[in-house]
Amino acid sequence: MADNLSTPFEKSAMTEEEKRQTSKEIRKQIVVFALMIFLTIMSFLAVGADIIPRSFAIPFILLLAVVQLALQLIFFMHLKDKDHGWATAFMISGIFVTVPTIAALMLLLGVTKY
């Protein structure tokens, strides 16, 4: 019985279409990962090399962060796939709780003066 463990399977359980879809998905994730690395390098260079003006640095980095967050949610949290309704609902409700909380704390601590 233990002799069969080192031999490969004769045939995969996946169909050719499933293999193509899996290969396509892996390529997409690698491209998105490379794009996120590029966005991270852009934000480091923007601040470290003083490429952009200081007044535009924070909005620029926040814009890159929002793009990176969207890519991570869509591709690595699989929100683009079907049957992820509950995960999407919890993330959206978390955003609706987090944003007002951070805004209220910023106002209370005096970070933003209005």
Side-chain angles (χ1 to χ4, degrees):
M1 182 169 176
D3 297 334
N4 296 345
L5 295 177
S6 62
T7 59
F9 290 112
E10 294 176 16
K11 188 176 173 184
S12 174
M14 293 174 64
T15 64
E16 290 300 318
E17 180 62 28
E18 289 172 332
K19 287 180 185 178
R20 264 188 251 111
Q21 286 295 101
T22 303
S23 176
K24 187 177 175 182
E25 183 69 26
I26 290 171
R27 277 195 306 266
K28 278 184 190 176
Q29 287 190 351
I30 290 172
V31 168
V32 170
F33 180 73
L35 180 62
M36 287 191 292
I37 294 294
F38 175 73
L39 291 174
T40 303
I41 291 171
M42 287 288 295
S43 62
F44 275 115
L45 286 177
V47 173
D50 288 333
I51 295 174
I52 60 174
R54 289 191 185 270
S55 60
F56 186 63
I58 293 176
F60 179 70
I61 291 173
L62 287 176
L63 176 71
L64 291 178
V66 167
V67 170
Q68 201 165 6
L69 173 72
L71 288 173
Q72 286 181 6
L73 287 176
I74 291 170
F75 286 97
F76 294 118
M77 298 300 290
H78 302 287
L79 291 185
K80 68 181 178 342
D81 298 337
K82 295 179 181 177
D83 298 332
H84 283 88
W86 282 107
T88 305
F90 280 117
M91 284 191 207
I92 290 172
S93 64
I95 290 170
F96 279 118
V97 169
T98 304
V99 170
T101 302
I102 291 174
L105 287 173
M106 287 175 67
L107 287 171
L108 284 173
L109 294 175
V111 173
T112 318
K113 305 216 186 297
Y114 288 108

